[in-house]
Amino acid sequence: MTYRRAVIPALVGSLLITLLMWWAGASAAASHLRGATDVFGVEAAGELRRWLAPWSYDASSAAPSGGLGGGGRQYADLYSTGMQIRFVAVFVFFLAGALLLLRRIPPAQGRTPATLLALWAWGPVAGTLAVTVSAPWLIASRGHGSYRVLPQWAGMIASSGPVVVAAALVAAPVTVLVARMTLNGADPVPRQSVPPRAARLAASAGTAVVALSLVVLSYSSVAAWIQTSFGGGGLLSEPGDLLRQWLLLGAWTGPADTPLGDWLLYRAADVVLLAVVWWALRLLPGLLTRTTVPAMAVGAVCATVLGLLASQVLHLAMDDTVDSTWGPLYRFSRLGEGAPAAVTFGSAAGLAALVTLRLAGGRPPGR
């Protein structure tokens, strides 16, 4: 799919997801109304406010308490600037990913489901990257930006939430539909033939990289070491909080604290994550029109996010105490978690899979 054909659906999808996120943020004020509490309940309304807050233009929380003179106005303007950067970044990051995905996995010749899933998975990634680049302005708007900057940054990165997952679930089908219309009259691009053994080896190498984060780094003692062993002082204190966001795909401990049956049931979600990643990486070289480094890296990031979403949905089905304790909306609060680490290890997994594929003779260089 040429850039000329891909740019229109990519622009449509990027504009749609940006408008949806803006609409979600503009609706944050409604969650404070008394009617919202009556309809959703106190716990659910509070959870809804938490979801929408990272995308809200409401600058009331940006002005520091006890601000003097025009300081409050200056902080509010800084908050507004940060939110403008956030929405522009969502548009830009989703546009860049959609262009690459539509170019390399056009929705034709049996690739449509893969394109749809990849674009959906790219939505949380675009939201996470947008929150990351806009966070410094919003931290400064709180009036105490020099205090524990990195932990504040880590907290904002983790706050993009399930709203982006829902918005991407709407934007991805629209993008694919427009892309299929722009493909009318284009020359067909047949599926590539990849030796099964080379594809399996590449998928296994990439999955091993993802497993390093999920199985090794996410274990409680290792995760605690990552978070506490990089102590600092002053402006850049506690970098471990930030590292945790970008290195850990999950969190788990041994079966000592829980019955063995429950522990195994929760570990099944991790098995599902790795199975989804392996299967996606197994199919990815054959789906791509050209096996390049950016395409494999972005494709592997999307595969990792899809695995995370699958494991999180499985956790939703297993947890039967959430509704009675925190309200029904809290059940979906984990959707989209782990996207920063998915960017880190998904990119590395794609590179590892590409190197393995070429060493195994699955695809000549430049293809």
Side-chain angles (χ1 to χ4, degrees):
M1 191 174 187
T2 63
Y3 276 115
R4 182 176 60 85
R5 293 181 182 272
V7 69
I8 295 176
L11 283 171
V12 170
S14 303
L15 182 61
L16 179 57
I17 194 171
T18 305
L19 290 176
L20 287 172
M21 298 310 300
W22 177 86
W23 173 76
S27 304
S31 64
H32 294 272
L33 299 177
R34 181 177 179 181
T37 304
D38 295 339
V39 172
F40 296 107
V42 177
E43 295 83 3
E47 185 66 17
L48 185 61
R49 285 193 291 271
R50 188 179 71 84
W51 290 5
L52 300 177
W55 305 98
S56 173
Y57 258 100
D58 183 9
S60 59
S61 61
S65 58
L68 300 176
R73 176 62 181 174
Q74 293 174 356
Y75 285 119
D77 291 342
L78 192 59
Y79 182 90
S80 179
T81 300
M83 292 307 300
Q84 292 171 11
I85 294 172
R86 180 164 295 186
F87 285 108
V88 170
V90 168
F91 179 86
V92 171
F93 283 122
F94 191 85
L95 176 64
L99 270 174
L100 180 60
L101 291 170
L102 290 173
R103 278 266 294 161
R104 298 304 177 209
I105 314 177
Q109 285 78 46
R111 295 185 177 95
T112 301
T115 309
L116 179 62
L117 290 173
L119 288 170
W120 178 39
W122 185 252
V125 175
T128 295
L129 295 176
V131 169
T132 301
V133 300
S134 61
W137 284 266
L138 301 183
I139 292 171
S141 72
R142 294 176 175 177
H144 45 79
S146 61
Y147 175 70
R148 302 181 75 239
V149 174
L150 297 185
Q152 291 187 72
W153 202 351
M156 285 194 175
I157 292 171
S159 69
S160 58
V163 178
V164 189
V165 179
L169 191 58
V170 177
V174 174
T175 305
V176 170
L177 180 62
V178 177
R180 286 187 64 87
M181 290 189 292
T182 60
L183 276 173
N184 287 335
D187 295 332
V189 181
R191 297 279 295 269
Q192 300 292 328
S193 177
V194 181
R197 179 179 175 275
R200 288 193 295 267
L201 287 174
S204 299
T207 305
V209 174
V210 175
L212 173 66
S213 172
L214 183 66
V215 178
V216 179
L217 301 183
S218 295
Y219 188 66
S220 58
S221 59
V222 181
W225 180 85
I226 291 173
Q227 192 165 10
T228 60
S229 294
F230 298 90
L235 185 64
L236 300 180
S237 63
E238 301 183 33
D241 289 345
L242 190 61
L243 286 174
R244 184 184 181 93
Q245 291 295 326
W246 293 95
L247 295 180
L248 305 188
L249 282 169
W252 66 285
T253 185
D257 300 329
T258 57
L260 180 60
D262 293 342
W263 183 84
L264 291 174
L265 190 61
Y266 272 83
R267 298 286 69 77
D270 297 336
V271 174
V272 168
L273 192 160
L274 295 177
V276 170
V277 170
W278 187 90
W279 185 251
L281 292 179
R282 163 71 176 80
L283 298 177
L284 184 60
L287 293 169
L288 294 173
T289 58
R290 195 171 174 215
T291 312
T292 61
V293 171
M296 285 293 292
V298 171
V301 168
C302 293
T304 308
V305 173
L306 286 174
L308 279 171
L309 292 173
S311 66
Q312 289 159 5
V313 169
L314 185 57
H315 275 298
L316 297 181
M318 291 188 296
D319 196 344
D320 57 356
T321 63
V322 171
D323 290 351
S324 60
T325 305
W326 300 101
L329 285 182
Y330 190 82
R331 178 178 290 272
F332 301 96
S333 62
R334 292 194 60 189
L335 289 178
E337 286 185 358
V343 173
T344 302
F345 286 92
S347 301
L351 295 178
L354 179 60
V355 171
T356 305
L357 185 69
R358 290 183 173 173
L359 291 176
R363 191 65 59 84
R367 288 292 298 168

